[in-house]
Amino acid sequence: MKRLFLGAFLLCATLTVTAQEKNAVIENMIKEATENSQLEHLGHELLDVIGPRLVGTPEMKQAHDWAVATYEKWGIPAENQQYGEWKAWQRGISHIDMVSPRVQSLNGMQLAWSPSTGPKGVTAEVITLPTVKDSMAFKNWLKNAKGKFVMISEYQITGRPDYNWEEFATPESFEKMKKDRDSLSSEFRENMRRTGYNSRTIIEALESAGAVGIVSSNWSKGFGANKIFSSRTKKIPTIDLELEDYGMLYRLVEYGDKPQIKVVAESKDLGVAPTFNTVAQIKGTEKPDEYVILSAHFDSWDGATGATDNGTGTIVMMEAMRLLKKFYPNPKRTILVGHWGSEEQGLNGSRAFVEDHPEMIKNIQAVFNQDNGTGRVVTMNGAGFLHSYDYLTRWLSAAPKEITKHIETSFPGSPSGGGSDNASFVAAGAPAFNLSSLNWSYWNYTWHTNRDTYDKIVFDDVRSNAILTAILAYMASEDDAKVSTERIILPVSDRTGKQLEWPTQRSPERKGGLD
Ligand SMILES: [Zn+2]
């Protein structure tokens, strides 16, 4: 009896000690993240100093080197792993002025990979696309593009987002505005179709006809927010103007005021640049060949500094690694972080990593990816892994209630077919999960826009995500068992009536932008 009692007591004591130790790691990480956060400083260095991180630019390479140096400062071995090449280009000054009928500096910039105007710039009249009867009429009109800047985007009748109309308009005028906008939109599309071109191919036609530049406006449906993607011109500049200024020029053209603009769009064509993933790891002690992977793409579009796409995901993973190294320096499994290159052009960095490390992919305990903005994590799903409920809920239960109470989980979920880097891993059968954020107007205001800047970061939410990520990584590493990667049987598609299939692994673009 006595012995048994003693035995039970000892067992009990051991359990308490283990629980306390585990707890101590978590408590220490939370305390450090809260009292000595490095997020603000990391954000500053990445976004204010380095800036946009377009694939193939010197700034992208600078960011990779900065990440390696930062990890090494923290005692975490890191390296840049080259996986391919991309057209090397560097954005220079964009400066756009209306010079007639009056002078006004305009809000806009050249698109990524736009050819340079040189420092003197180009001054010319601006015209809009004509309304045409058919492709023959458009062909006849094309000679008018010679020597002109041509505006190729749809005119927007309002620069106020719908939520603003909803708040202040009478219901009647809100309805009327939407109706007018819809009919203008369909007229624009119909006219484009009649030219015989689409919004992409018409650019080539205009350039061949001697236009001196393309003026577009890709409104993101928020005040002052435009999406900034890539140029399609070969020799002439392509610029995007914010809705307000685009609309003003458009009206000046339509009313016959013959506006002229001066565009300075400087850039450098630097040939070809290597592309990288930055990879850092804290080696596992007991199971070094099993991996817990923290994942966030590192590149961005370059209309702004890529603060929420994906600066925030990047600094979450860096801060989580710092916390883990400091309070959990000898993890059971290897904890690896991947800062992937060229996600924006098709998950290229992560696809390359998956393709190049098949032996690692088989031994992945879990991948945690973040890539949709500054918000706190609000949803997670089991990515189609049959037993994901067992381990994910166990790991999540170690995080503070103030964090997990916001997270809606769904199991077994479904495998992501794209969208972000977790899809590259899922396609290879590795349990990869997205830490999905509250949107904070992501789609309209920051995603791929000219407004994706440091001031949009909500650091309390980002801090919560860094703590959550560190705890999930810790729990996944400590788990007694390697997780099951058994997949669910996917349902029959409502749309096609066929059984859905698990996404298949795809090869990355290893030589891009060079056409
Ligand atoms: Zn992204």
Side-chain angles (χ1 to χ4, degrees):
M1 239 352 239
K2 209 173 177 184
R3 281 178 79 124
L4 253 181
F5 178 74
L6 188 66
F9 176 76
L10 277 177
L11 181 68
C12 191
T14 323
L15 275 177
T16 319
V17 170
T18 318
Q20 267 173 358
E21 274 172 3
K22 285 190 177 178
N23 220 20
V25 171
I26 290 175
E27 292 312 308
N28 283 333
M29 292 198 299
I30 295 171
K31 190 168 188 295
E32 171 74 11
T34 313
E35 293 174 6
N36 186 35
S37 170
Q38 295 302 304
L39 291 167
E40 290 81 354
H41 187 227
L42 291 170
H44 162 69
E45 289 187 336
L46 179 63
L47 307 170
D48 297 338
V49 181
I50 296 169
R53 299 164 304 285
L54 182 73
V55 60
T57 58
E59 292 76 14
M60 182 74 254
K61 178 62 169 49
Q62 197 189 339
H64 284 296
D65 291 343
W66 166 79
V68 168
T70 306
Y71 280 120
E72 286 183 343
K73 195 175 73 194
W74 295 336
I76 303 172
E79 61 176 4
N80 292 329
Q81 299 179 348
Q82 189 186 341
Y83 67 84
E85 293 177 325
W86 207 273
K87 175 187 171 75
W89 178 86
Q90 187 169 34
R91 176 179 284 278
I93 288 170
S94 293
H95 192 95
I96 305 160
D97 299 290
M98 177 167 77
V99 293
S100 177
R102 60 188 176 82
V103 173
Q104 181 178 323
S105 294
L106 305 178
N107 291 310
M109 67 174 75
Q110 64 191 308
L111 297 184
W113 299 299
S114 171
S116 182
T117 61
K120 289 211 180 84
V122 177
T123 304
E125 188 184 334
V126 189
I127 57 171
T128 56
L129 291 175
T131 303
V132 293
K133 191 166 94 264
D134 53 27
S135 62
M136 189 48 86
F138 184 71
K139 218 170 237 142
N140 291 334
W141 173 88
L142 260 176
K143 59 183 178 299
N144 294 300
K146 193 171 168 58
K148 309 276 172 40
F149 283 103
V150 186
M151 304 177 77
I152 60 160
S153 303
E154 191 181 331
Y155 175 73
Q156 300 291 337
I157 54 172
T158 180
R160 293 181 182 277
D162 283 8
Y163 67 78
N164 186 248
W165 278 83
E166 221 161 353
E167 187 176 354
F168 295 111
T170 62
E172 297 76 21
S173 75
F174 186 29
E175 281 314 307
K176 179 167 168 292
M177 183 279 286
K178 285 193 288 190
K179 235 179 106 210
D180 291 350
R181 189 172 59 187
D182 286 350
S183 74
L184 270 176
S185 251
S186 65
E187 265 172 49
F188 179 84
R189 281 194 307 271
E190 272 303 300
N191 187 54
M192 181 66 81
R193 198 186 49 75
R194 289 195 301 267
T195 65
Y197 295 95
N198 60 39
S199 58
R200 293 172 171 209
T201 55
I202 201 163
I203 294 169
E204 202 186 322
L206 292 166
E207 182 163 15
S208 309
V212 296
I214 301 294
V215 182
S216 63
S217 183
N218 188 358
W219 190 37
S220 188
K221 302 186 167 63
F223 283 113
N226 269 32
K227 303 226 182 280
I228 306 295
F229 291 116
S230 51
S231 156
R232 297 183 164 273
T233 44
K234 299 270 182 285
K235 293 207 171 72
I236 60 173
T238 304
I239 58 166
D240 180 280
L241 283 180
E242 285 178 25
L243 177 147
E244 301 90 328
D245 289 341
Y246 189 89
M248 175 185 70
L249 282 181
Y250 199 97
R251 291 186 298 274
L252 286 165
V253 173
E254 296 291 297
Y255 280 103
D257 300 291
K258 297 188 181 303
Q260 283 188 28
I261 59 172
K262 178 183 176 192
V263 174
V264 176
E266 290 185 72
S267 63
K268 283 185 197 151
D269 182 340
L270 299 171
V272 180
T275 50
F276 300 96
N277 292 317
T278 296
V279 173
Q281 52 182 331
I282 310 172
K283 241 337 229 173
T285 49
E286 230 175 276
K287 296 170 186 286
D289 297 332
E290 290 185 16
Y291 294 88
V292 175
I293 297 185
L294 307 190
S295 160
H297 76 83
F298 206 12
D299 63 310
S300 70
W301 282 105
D302 74 341
T305 54
T308 71
D309 186 14
N310 189 21
T312 42
T314 300
I315 62 176
V316 160
M317 299 307 156
M318 292 182 82
E319 178 77 338
M321 285 299 278
R322 187 182 73 85
L323 300 171
L324 288 158
K325 170 69 184 173
K326 194 158 183 178
F327 300 105
Y328 184 52
N330 301 302
K332 187 186 269 189
R333 296 179 170 85
T334 295
I335 300 177
L336 179 148
V337 64
H339 297 282
W340 318 119
S342 187
E343 185 268 357
E344 298 293 3
Q345 291 73 31
L347 317 186
N348 291 314
S350 58
R351 279 179 177 158
F353 184 83
V354 169
E355 189 169 87
D356 294 345
H357 299 91
E359 74 300 341
M360 285 174 67
I361 304 308
K362 287 198 302 275
N363 291 318
I364 287 179
Q365 176 77 335
V367 177
F368 301 109
N369 183 66
Q370 215 241 321
D371 176 25
N372 65 331
T374 188
R376 57 190 175 275
V377 173
V378 288
T379 55
M380 275 188 83
N381 84 71
F385 293 97
L386 187 60
H387 301 287
S388 52
Y389 172 84
D390 302 342
Y391 49 88
L392 274 185
T393 47
R394 186 164 67 243
W395 301 342
L396 274 169
S397 69
K401 284 283 163 299
E402 307 86 78
I403 293 177
T404 53
K405 73 179 178 196
H406 302 292
I407 306 175
E408 193 181 305
T409 53
S410 52
F411 296 103
S414 54
S416 167
S420 190
D421 299 296
N422 50 310
S424 305
F425 289 89
V426 166
F433 308 102
N434 214 21
L435 304 170
S436 189
S437 291
L438 187 65
N439 88 36
W440 279 98
S441 305
Y442 182 66
W443 299 109
N444 292 349
Y445 277 104
T446 60
W447 180 63
H448 302 165
T449 72
N450 56 340
R451 290 284 175 271
D452 192 8
T453 43
Y454 188 101
D455 55 292
K456 311 305 185 305
I457 299 179
V458 180
F459 278 102
D460 281 347
D461 280 13
V462 176
R463 198 158 6 259
S464 159
N465 294 348
I467 293 169
L468 174 71
T469 305
I471 294 172
L472 288 173
Y474 165 71
M475 291 298 289
S477 165
E478 280 294 290
D479 206 302
D480 289 335
K482 168 81 178 67
V483 303
S484 156
T485 54
E486 194 179 333
R487 305 170 187 183
I488 56 165
I489 294 170
L490 294 173
V492 169
S493 160
D494 290 342
R495 200 170 47 83
T496 64
K498 289 198 185 123
Q499 178 152 21
L500 293 167
E501 283 177 31
W502 197 269
T504 46
Q505 200 180 328
R506 288 175 61 181
S507 287
E509 178 78 68
R510 292 195 195 251
K511 207 169 168 61
L514 295 166
D515 49 41

